[in-house]
PDB file of all heavy atoms in Angstrom:
ATOM      1  N   GLN A 628      14.935  21.814   9.079  1.00  0.00           N
ATOM      2  CA  GLN A 628      14.125  22.989   8.737  1.00  0.00           C
ATOM      3  C   GLN A 628      14.878  23.920   7.781  1.00  0.00           C
ATOM      4  O   GLN A 628      14.262  24.586   6.946  1.00  0.00           O
ATOM      5  CB  GLN A 628      13.739  23.754  10.003  1.00  0.00           C
ATOM      6  CG  GLN A 628      12.580  23.128  10.784  1.00  0.00           C
ATOM      7  CD  GLN A 628      12.156  24.003  11.952  1.00  0.00           C
ATOM      8  OE1 GLN A 628      12.859  24.098  12.964  1.00  0.00           O
ATOM      9  NE2 GLN A 628      11.018  24.651  11.795  1.00  0.00           N
ATOM     10  N   ASP A 629      16.203  23.945   7.926  1.00  0.00           N
ATOM     11  CA  ASP A 629      16.988  24.808   7.045  1.00  0.00           C
ATOM     12  C   ASP A 629      16.991  24.303   5.610  1.00  0.00           C
ATOM     13  O   ASP A 629      17.250  25.065   4.673  1.00  0.00           O
ATOM     14  CB  ASP A 629      18.431  24.905   7.557  1.00  0.00           C
ATOM     15  CG  ASP A 629      18.561  25.859   8.746  1.00  0.00           C
ATOM     16  OD1 ASP A 629      17.510  26.227   9.318  1.00  0.00           O
ATOM     17  OD2 ASP A 629      19.694  26.209   9.092  1.00  0.00           O
ATOM     18  N   VAL A 630      16.730  22.998   5.433  1.00  0.00           N
ATOM     19  CA  VAL A 630      16.626  22.461   4.071  1.00  0.00           C
ATOM     20  C   VAL A 630      15.418  23.067   3.369  1.00  0.00           C
ATOM     21  O   VAL A 630      15.464  23.386   2.180  1.00  0.00           O
ATOM     22  CB  VAL A 630      16.534  20.926   4.107  1.00  0.00           C
ATOM     23  CG1 VAL A 630      16.328  20.364   2.697  1.00  0.00           C
ATOM     24  CG2 VAL A 630      17.783  20.316   4.749  1.00  0.00           C
ATOM     25  N   VAL A 631      14.322  23.212   4.142  1.00  0.00           N
ATOM     26  CA  VAL A 631      13.093  23.805   3.595  1.00  0.00           C
ATOM     27  C   VAL A 631      13.143  25.312   3.858  1.00  0.00           C
ATOM     28  O   VAL A 631      12.450  25.860   4.709  1.00  0.00           O
ATOM     29  CB  VAL A 631      11.835  23.166   4.225  1.00  0.00           C
ATOM     30  CG1 VAL A 631      10.573  23.712   3.548  1.00  0.00           C
ATOM     31  CG2 VAL A 631      11.890  21.650   4.104  1.00  0.00           C
ATOM     32  N   SER A 632      14.003  25.947   3.139  1.00  0.00           N
ATOM     33  CA  SER A 632      14.193  27.400   3.266  1.00  0.00           C
ATOM     34  C   SER A 632      14.606  27.939   1.903  1.00  0.00           C
ATOM     35  O   SER A 632      14.995  27.165   1.019  1.00  0.00           O
ATOM     36  CB  SER A 632      15.269  27.700   4.310  1.00  0.00           C
ATOM     37  OG  SER A 632      16.547  27.319   3.835  1.00  0.00           O
ATOM     38  N   PRO A 633      14.547  29.226   1.706  1.00  0.00           N
ATOM     39  CA  PRO A 633      14.917  29.778   0.398  1.00  0.00           C
ATOM     40  C   PRO A 633      16.327  29.426  -0.048  1.00  0.00           C
ATOM     41  O   PRO A 633      16.613  29.398  -1.250  1.00  0.00           O
ATOM     42  CB  PRO A 633      14.753  31.284   0.602  1.00  0.00           C
ATOM     43  CG  PRO A 633      13.703  31.394   1.663  1.00  0.00           C
ATOM     44  CD  PRO A 633      13.980  30.257   2.593  1.00  0.00           C
ATOM     45  N   SER A 634      17.229  29.118   0.892  1.00  0.00           N
ATOM     46  CA  SER A 634      18.605  28.794   0.530  1.00  0.00           C
ATOM     47  C   SER A 634      18.901  27.304   0.623  1.00  0.00           C
ATOM     48  O   SER A 634      20.034  26.882   0.420  1.00  0.00           O
ATOM     49  CB  SER A 634      19.582  29.553   1.432  1.00  0.00           C
ATOM     50  OG  SER A 634      19.394  29.173   2.797  1.00  0.00           O
ATOM     51  N   GLY A 635      17.884  26.493   0.915  1.00  0.00           N
ATOM     52  CA  GLY A 635      18.091  25.057   1.029  1.00  0.00           C
ATOM     53  C   GLY A 635      17.686  24.332  -0.245  1.00  0.00           C
ATOM     54  O   GLY A 635      16.987  24.867  -1.105  1.00  0.00           O
ATOM     55  N   THR A 636      18.135  23.087  -0.361  1.00  0.00           N
ATOM     56  CA  THR A 636      17.808  22.319  -1.570  1.00  0.00           C
ATOM     57  C   THR A 636      16.323  22.005  -1.665  1.00  0.00           C
ATOM     58  O   THR A 636      15.823  21.696  -2.747  1.00  0.00           O
ATOM     59  CB  THR A 636      18.603  21.001  -1.595  1.00  0.00           C
ATOM     60  OG1 THR A 636      18.312  20.256  -0.408  1.00  0.00           O
ATOM     61  CG2 THR A 636      20.090  21.265  -1.703  1.00  0.00           C
ATOM     62  N   GLY A 637      15.615  22.070  -0.567  1.00  0.00           N
ATOM     63  CA  GLY A 637      14.181  21.807  -0.579  1.00  0.00           C
ATOM     64  C   GLY A 637      13.354  23.067  -0.586  1.00  0.00           C
ATOM     65  O   GLY A 637      12.244  23.084  -0.051  1.00  0.00           O
ATOM     66  N   TYR A 638      13.880  24.128  -1.209  1.00  0.00           N
ATOM     67  CA  TYR A 638      13.218  25.430  -1.150  1.00  0.00           C
ATOM     68  C   TYR A 638      11.810  25.415  -1.746  1.00  0.00           C
ATOM     69  O   TYR A 638      10.937  26.189  -1.349  1.00  0.00           O
ATOM     70  CB  TYR A 638      14.071  26.501  -1.831  1.00  0.00           C
ATOM     71  CG  TYR A 638      14.121  26.418  -3.330  1.00  0.00           C
ATOM     72  CD1 TYR A 638      13.209  27.093  -4.128  1.00  0.00           C
ATOM     73  CD2 TYR A 638      15.091  25.641  -3.965  1.00  0.00           C
ATOM     74  CE1 TYR A 638      13.255  27.001  -5.504  1.00  0.00           C
ATOM     75  CE2 TYR A 638      15.135  25.547  -5.341  1.00  0.00           C
ATOM     76  CZ  TYR A 638      14.223  26.226  -6.117  1.00  0.00           C
ATOM     77  OH  TYR A 638      14.270  26.124  -7.485  1.00  0.00           O
ATOM     78  N   LEU A 639      11.529  24.515  -2.704  1.00  0.00           N
ATOM     79  CA  LEU A 639      10.191  24.481  -3.290  1.00  0.00           C
ATOM     80  C   LEU A 639       9.123  24.108  -2.259  1.00  0.00           C
ATOM     81  O   LEU A 639       7.954  24.457  -2.420  1.00  0.00           O
ATOM     82  CB  LEU A 639      10.153  23.497  -4.457  1.00  0.00           C
ATOM     83  CG  LEU A 639      10.886  23.919  -5.735  1.00  0.00           C
ATOM     84  CD1 LEU A 639      10.814  22.810  -6.777  1.00  0.00           C
ATOM     85  CD2 LEU A 639      10.287  25.206  -6.297  1.00  0.00           C
ATOM     86  N   ALA A 640       9.542  23.422  -1.191  1.00  0.00           N
ATOM     87  CA  ALA A 640       8.585  23.032  -0.158  1.00  0.00           C
ATOM     88  C   ALA A 640       8.114  24.212   0.675  1.00  0.00           C
ATOM     89  O   ALA A 640       7.144  24.085   1.430  1.00  0.00           O
ATOM     90  CB  ALA A 640       9.197  21.957   0.748  1.00  0.00           C
ATOM     91  N   THR A 641       8.786  25.360   0.544  1.00  0.00           N
ATOM     92  CA  THR A 641       8.300  26.553   1.256  1.00  0.00           C
ATOM     93  C   THR A 641       6.944  26.968   0.719  1.00  0.00           C
ATOM     94  O   THR A 641       6.229  27.746   1.377  1.00  0.00           O
ATOM     95  CB  THR A 641       9.294  27.719   1.111  1.00  0.00           C
ATOM     96  OG1 THR A 641       9.462  28.022  -0.292  1.00  0.00           O
ATOM     97  CG2 THR A 641      10.654  27.362   1.708  1.00  0.00           C
ATOM     98  N   GLY A 642       6.568  26.463  -0.444  1.00  0.00           N
ATOM     99  CA  GLY A 642       5.245  26.742  -0.977  1.00  0.00           C
ATOM    100  C   GLY A 642       4.129  26.175  -0.129  1.00  0.00           C
ATOM    101  O   GLY A 642       2.961  26.521  -0.332  1.00  0.00           O
ATOM    102  N   LEU A 643       4.459  25.339   0.829  1.00  0.00           N
ATOM    103  CA  LEU A 643       3.445  24.821   1.746  1.00  0.00           C
ATOM    104  C   LEU A 643       2.887  25.926   2.631  1.00  0.00           C
ATOM    105  O   LEU A 643       1.732  25.868   3.059  1.00  0.00           O
ATOM    106  CB  LEU A 643       4.039  23.686   2.588  1.00  0.00           C
ATOM    107  CG  LEU A 643       3.106  22.972   3.562  1.00  0.00           C
ATOM    108  CD1 LEU A 643       1.944  22.312   2.824  1.00  0.00           C
ATOM    109  CD2 LEU A 643       3.880  21.942   4.380  1.00  0.00           C
ATOM    110  N   GLY A 644       3.731  26.923   2.932  1.00  0.00           N
ATOM    111  CA  GLY A 644       3.259  28.045   3.717  1.00  0.00           C
ATOM    112  C   GLY A 644       3.072  27.766   5.192  1.00  0.00           C
ATOM    113  O   GLY A 644       2.334  28.464   5.877  1.00  0.00           O
ATOM    114  N   ARG A 645       3.758  26.780   5.710  1.00  0.00           N
ATOM    115  CA  ARG A 645       3.705  26.472   7.151  1.00  0.00           C
ATOM    116  C   ARG A 645       5.018  25.818   7.541  1.00  0.00           C
ATOM    117  O   ARG A 645       5.745  25.317   6.671  1.00  0.00           O
ATOM    118  CB  ARG A 645       2.523  25.585   7.495  1.00  0.00           C
ATOM    119  CG  ARG A 645       2.460  24.254   6.795  1.00  0.00           C
ATOM    120  CD  ARG A 645       1.300  23.401   7.328  1.00  0.00           C
ATOM    121  NE  ARG A 645      -0.003  23.865   6.873  1.00  0.00           N
ATOM    122  CZ  ARG A 645      -1.137  23.680   7.537  1.00  0.00           C
ATOM    123  NH1 ARG A 645      -1.117  23.048   8.709  1.00  0.00           N
ATOM    124  NH2 ARG A 645      -2.276  24.106   7.067  1.00  0.00           N
ATOM    125  N   PRO A 646       5.360  25.802   8.818  1.00  0.00           N
ATOM    126  CA  PRO A 646       6.634  25.222   9.246  1.00  0.00           C
ATOM    127  C   PRO A 646       6.794  23.792   8.757  1.00  0.00           C
ATOM    128  O   PRO A 646       5.892  22.966   8.894  1.00  0.00           O
ATOM    129  CB  PRO A 646       6.567  25.287  10.766  1.00  0.00           C
ATOM    130  CG  PRO A 646       5.654  26.432  11.052  1.00  0.00           C
ATOM    131  CD  PRO A 646       4.618  26.370   9.961  1.00  0.00           C
ATOM    132  N   ALA A 647       7.955  23.509   8.183  1.00  0.00           N
ATOM    133  CA  ALA A 647       8.218  22.169   7.657  1.00  0.00           C
ATOM    134  C   ALA A 647       9.702  21.889   7.727  1.00  0.00           C
ATOM    135  O   ALA A 647      10.533  22.794   7.784  1.00  0.00           O
ATOM    136  CB  ALA A 647       7.726  22.046   6.217  1.00  0.00           C
ATOM    137  N   ALA A 648      10.027  20.604   7.763  1.00  0.00           N
ATOM    138  CA  ALA A 648      11.411  20.136   7.736  1.00  0.00           C
ATOM    139  C   ALA A 648      11.492  18.990   6.762  1.00  0.00           C
ATOM    140  O   ALA A 648      10.496  18.313   6.486  1.00  0.00           O
ATOM    141  CB  ALA A 648      11.848  19.691   9.139  1.00  0.00           C
ATOM    142  N   GLY A 649      12.685  18.757   6.222  1.00  0.00           N
ATOM    143  CA  GLY A 649      12.790  17.654   5.274  1.00  0.00           C
ATOM    144  C   GLY A 649      14.176  17.540   4.701  1.00  0.00           C
ATOM    145  O   GLY A 649      15.098  18.266   5.078  1.00  0.00           O
ATOM    146  N   LYS A 650      14.328  16.603   3.774  1.00  0.00           N
ATOM    147  CA  LYS A 650      15.627  16.380   3.153  1.00  0.00           C
ATOM    148  C   LYS A 650      15.435  15.879   1.735  1.00  0.00           C
ATOM    149  O   LYS A 650      14.592  15.011   1.468  1.00  0.00           O
ATOM    150  CB  LYS A 650      16.450  15.361   3.946  1.00  0.00           C
ATOM    151  CG  LYS A 650      17.853  15.172   3.404  1.00  0.00           C
ATOM    152  CD  LYS A 650      18.712  16.421   3.597  1.00  0.00           C
ATOM    153  CE  LYS A 650      20.057  16.302   2.906  1.00  0.00           C
ATOM    154  NZ  LYS A 650      19.934  16.539   1.433  1.00  0.00           N
ATOM    155  N   THR A 651      16.242  16.437   0.839  1.00  0.00           N
ATOM    156  CA  THR A 651      16.271  15.986  -0.545  1.00  0.00           C
ATOM    157  C   THR A 651      17.290  14.863  -0.702  1.00  0.00           C
ATOM    158  O   THR A 651      18.171  14.671   0.139  1.00  0.00           O
ATOM    159  CB  THR A 651      16.661  17.142  -1.470  1.00  0.00           C
ATOM    160  OG1 THR A 651      17.947  17.635  -1.072  1.00  0.00           O
ATOM    161  CG2 THR A 651      15.636  18.267  -1.404  1.00  0.00           C
ATOM    162  N   GLY A 652      17.163  14.137  -1.803  1.00  0.00           N
ATOM    163  CA  GLY A 652      18.130  13.082  -2.088  1.00  0.00           C
ATOM    164  C   GLY A 652      18.155  12.761  -3.561  1.00  0.00           C
ATOM    165  O   GLY A 652      17.102  12.547  -4.169  1.00  0.00           O
ATOM    166  N   THR A 653      19.368  12.749  -4.146  1.00  0.00           N
ATOM    167  CA  THR A 653      19.547  12.376  -5.549  1.00  0.00           C
ATOM    168  C   THR A 653      20.744  11.439  -5.610  1.00  0.00           C
ATOM    169  O   THR A 653      21.792  11.751  -5.065  1.00  0.00           O
ATOM    170  CB  THR A 653      19.801  13.606  -6.430  1.00  0.00           C
ATOM    171  OG1 THR A 653      18.800  14.579  -6.164  1.00  0.00           O
ATOM    172  CG2 THR A 653      19.773  13.225  -7.894  1.00  0.00           C
ATOM    173  N   THR A 654      20.595  10.313  -6.262  1.00  0.00           N
ATOM    174  CA  THR A 654      21.648   9.306  -6.230  1.00  0.00           C
ATOM    175  C   THR A 654      22.579   9.408  -7.426  1.00  0.00           C
ATOM    176  O   THR A 654      22.315  10.109  -8.394  1.00  0.00           O
ATOM    177  CB  THR A 654      21.037   7.899  -6.187  1.00  0.00           C
ATOM    178  OG1 THR A 654      20.227   7.717  -7.335  1.00  0.00           O
ATOM    179  CG2 THR A 654      20.210   7.705  -4.929  1.00  0.00           C
ATOM    180  N   ASP A 655      23.686   8.674  -7.320  1.00  0.00           N
ATOM    181  CA  ASP A 655      24.683   8.630  -8.375  1.00  0.00           C
ATOM    182  C   ASP A 655      24.040   8.170  -9.683  1.00  0.00           C
ATOM    183  O   ASP A 655      23.170   7.290  -9.704  1.00  0.00           O
ATOM    184  CB  ASP A 655      25.794   7.659  -7.959  1.00  0.00           C
ATOM    185  CG  ASP A 655      27.014   7.781  -8.843  1.00  0.00           C
ATOM    186  OD1 ASP A 655      27.255   8.886  -9.345  1.00  0.00           O
ATOM    187  OD2 ASP A 655      27.700   6.760  -9.018  1.00  0.00           O
ATOM    188  N   ASP A 656      24.456   8.791 -10.792  1.00  0.00           N
ATOM    189  CA  ASP A 656      23.912   8.498 -12.115  1.00  0.00           C
ATOM    190  C   ASP A 656      22.426   8.833 -12.222  1.00  0.00           C
ATOM    191  O   ASP A 656      21.755   8.395 -13.157  1.00  0.00           O
ATOM    192  CB  ASP A 656      24.125   7.034 -12.499  1.00  0.00           C
ATOM    193  CG  ASP A 656      25.594   6.688 -12.640  1.00  0.00           C
ATOM    194  OD1 ASP A 656      26.385   7.581 -13.018  1.00  0.00           O
ATOM    195  OD2 ASP A 656      25.944   5.525 -12.355  1.00  0.00           O
ATOM    196  N   ASN A 657      21.941   9.597 -11.243  1.00  0.00           N
ATOM    197  CA  ASN A 657      20.544  10.057 -11.275  1.00  0.00           C
ATOM    198  C   ASN A 657      19.561   8.890 -11.419  1.00  0.00           C
ATOM    199  O   ASN A 657      18.595   8.945 -12.176  1.00  0.00           O
ATOM    200  CB  ASN A 657      20.336  11.064 -12.403  1.00  0.00           C
ATOM    201  CG  ASN A 657      19.109  11.962 -12.181  1.00  0.00           C
ATOM    202  OD1 ASN A 657      18.587  12.532 -13.121  1.00  0.00           O
ATOM    203  ND2 ASN A 657      18.646  12.090 -10.951  1.00  0.00           N
ATOM    204  N   LYS A 658      19.831   7.805 -10.660  1.00  0.00           N
ATOM    205  CA  LYS A 658      18.955   6.641 -10.726  1.00  0.00           C
ATOM    206  C   LYS A 658      17.668   6.842  -9.913  1.00  0.00           C
ATOM    207  O   LYS A 658      16.677   6.155 -10.141  1.00  0.00           O
ATOM    208  CB  LYS A 658      19.693   5.397 -10.213  1.00  0.00           C
ATOM    209  CG  LYS A 658      20.854   4.968 -11.110  1.00  0.00           C
ATOM    210  CD  LYS A 658      20.364   4.524 -12.480  1.00  0.00           C
ATOM    211  CE  LYS A 658      21.518   4.134 -13.397  1.00  0.00           C
ATOM    212  NZ  LYS A 658      22.289   3.006 -12.898  1.00  0.00           N
ATOM    213  N   SER A 659      17.687   7.750  -8.964  1.00  0.00           N
ATOM    214  CA  SER A 659      16.483   8.030  -8.178  1.00  0.00           C
ATOM    215  C   SER A 659      16.593   9.416  -7.570  1.00  0.00           C
ATOM    216  O   SER A 659      17.686   9.992  -7.466  1.00  0.00           O
ATOM    217  CB  SER A 659      16.286   6.982  -7.077  1.00  0.00           C
ATOM    218  OG  SER A 659      17.392   6.963  -6.185  1.00  0.00           O
ATOM    219  N   ALA A 660      15.452   9.959  -7.187  1.00  0.00           N
ATOM    220  CA  ALA A 660      15.402  11.276  -6.547  1.00  0.00           C
ATOM    221  C   ALA A 660      14.302  11.252  -5.503  1.00  0.00           C
ATOM    222  O   ALA A 660      13.217  10.707  -5.738  1.00  0.00           O
ATOM    223  CB  ALA A 660      15.144  12.365  -7.588  1.00  0.00           C
ATOM    224  N   TRP A 661      14.603  11.851  -4.326  1.00  0.00           N
ATOM    225  CA  TRP A 661      13.671  11.780  -3.198  1.00  0.00           C
ATOM    226  C   TRP A 661      13.477  13.147  -2.552  1.00  0.00           C
ATOM    227  O   TRP A 661      14.358  14.010  -2.584  1.00  0.00           O
ATOM    228  CB  TRP A 661      14.212  10.847  -2.115  1.00  0.00           C
ATOM    229  CG  TRP A 661      14.185   9.387  -2.439  1.00  0.00           C
ATOM    230  CD1 TRP A 661      15.071   8.702  -3.218  1.00  0.00           C
ATOM    231  CD2 TRP A 661      13.235   8.422  -1.972  1.00  0.00           C
ATOM    232  NE1 TRP A 661      14.746   7.378  -3.276  1.00  0.00           N
ATOM    233  CE2 TRP A 661      13.619   7.172  -2.515  1.00  0.00           C
ATOM    234  CE3 TRP A 661      12.115   8.480  -1.155  1.00  0.00           C
ATOM    235  CZ2 TRP A 661      12.915   6.003  -2.261  1.00  0.00           C
ATOM    236  CZ3 TRP A 661      11.412   7.317  -0.896  1.00  0.00           C
ATOM    237  CH2 TRP A 661      11.799   6.091  -1.444  1.00  0.00           C
ATOM    238  N   PHE A 662      12.307  13.282  -1.927  1.00  0.00           N
ATOM    239  CA  PHE A 662      12.131  14.315  -0.909  1.00  0.00           C
ATOM    240  C   PHE A 662      11.273  13.717   0.180  1.00  0.00           C
ATOM    241  O   PHE A 662      10.193  13.163  -0.078  1.00  0.00           O
ATOM    242  CB  PHE A 662      11.466  15.578  -1.457  1.00  0.00           C
ATOM    243  CG  PHE A 662      11.327  16.646  -0.402  1.00  0.00           C
ATOM    244  CD1 PHE A 662      12.449  17.338   0.046  1.00  0.00           C
ATOM    245  CD2 PHE A 662      10.102  16.945   0.174  1.00  0.00           C
ATOM    246  CE1 PHE A 662      12.342  18.316   1.040  1.00  0.00           C
ATOM    247  CE2 PHE A 662       9.992  17.917   1.167  1.00  0.00           C
ATOM    248  CZ  PHE A 662      11.114  18.601   1.591  1.00  0.00           C
ATOM    249  N   ILE A 663      11.796  13.811   1.411  1.00  0.00           N
ATOM    250  CA  ILE A 663      11.052  13.348   2.581  1.00  0.00           C
ATOM    251  C   ILE A 663      10.919  14.543   3.515  1.00  0.00           C
ATOM    252  O   ILE A 663      11.925  15.099   3.966  1.00  0.00           O
ATOM    253  CB  ILE A 663      11.761  12.183   3.295  1.00  0.00           C
ATOM    254  CG1 ILE A 663      12.071  11.067   2.289  1.00  0.00           C
ATOM    255  CG2 ILE A 663      10.888  11.646   4.424  1.00  0.00           C
ATOM    256  CD1 ILE A 663      12.904   9.942   2.862  1.00  0.00           C
ATOM    257  N   GLY A 664       9.700  14.951   3.755  1.00  0.00           N
ATOM    258  CA  GLY A 664       9.484  16.133   4.586  1.00  0.00           C
ATOM    259  C   GLY A 664       8.332  15.940   5.546  1.00  0.00           C
ATOM    260  O   GLY A 664       7.528  15.012   5.409  1.00  0.00           O
ATOM    261  N   TYR A 665       8.260  16.860   6.509  1.00  0.00           N
ATOM    262  CA  TYR A 665       7.210  16.713   7.511  1.00  0.00           C
ATOM    263  C   TYR A 665       6.858  18.039   8.173  1.00  0.00           C
ATOM    264  O   TYR A 665       7.635  18.992   8.171  1.00  0.00           O
ATOM    265  CB  TYR A 665       7.602  15.688   8.568  1.00  0.00           C
ATOM    266  CG  TYR A 665       8.925  15.882   9.265  1.00  0.00           C
ATOM    267  CD1 TYR A 665       9.010  16.547  10.495  1.00  0.00           C
ATOM    268  CD2 TYR A 665      10.108  15.347   8.736  1.00  0.00           C
ATOM    269  CE1 TYR A 665      10.230  16.681  11.165  1.00  0.00           C
ATOM    270  CE2 TYR A 665      11.320  15.473   9.387  1.00  0.00           C
ATOM    271  CZ  TYR A 665      11.379  16.147  10.614  1.00  0.00           C
ATOM    272  OH  TYR A 665      12.582  16.279  11.277  1.00  0.00           O
ATOM    273  N   THR A 666       5.637  18.037   8.689  1.00  0.00           N
ATOM    274  CA  THR A 666       5.138  19.079   9.578  1.00  0.00           C
ATOM    275  C   THR A 666       4.816  18.385  10.897  1.00  0.00           C
ATOM    276  O   THR A 666       4.907  17.150  10.980  1.00  0.00           O
ATOM    277  CB  THR A 666       3.863  19.718   9.008  1.00  0.00           C
ATOM    278  OG1 THR A 666       2.799  18.755   9.042  1.00  0.00           O
ATOM    279  CG2 THR A 666       4.075  20.212   7.575  1.00  0.00           C
TER     280      THR A 666
END
Side-chain angles (χ1 to χ4, degrees):
Q628 281 186 287
D629 282 14
V630 176
V631 185
S632 70
S634 61
T636 57
Y638 73 91
L639 288 177
T641 59
L643 183 61
R645 59 174 74 207
K650 184 68 187 78
T651 59
T653 309
T654 59
D655 193 30
D656 295 329
N657 202 201
K658 293 295 178 62
S659 60
W661 288 80
F662 182 72
I663 307 174
Y665 54 95
T666 68

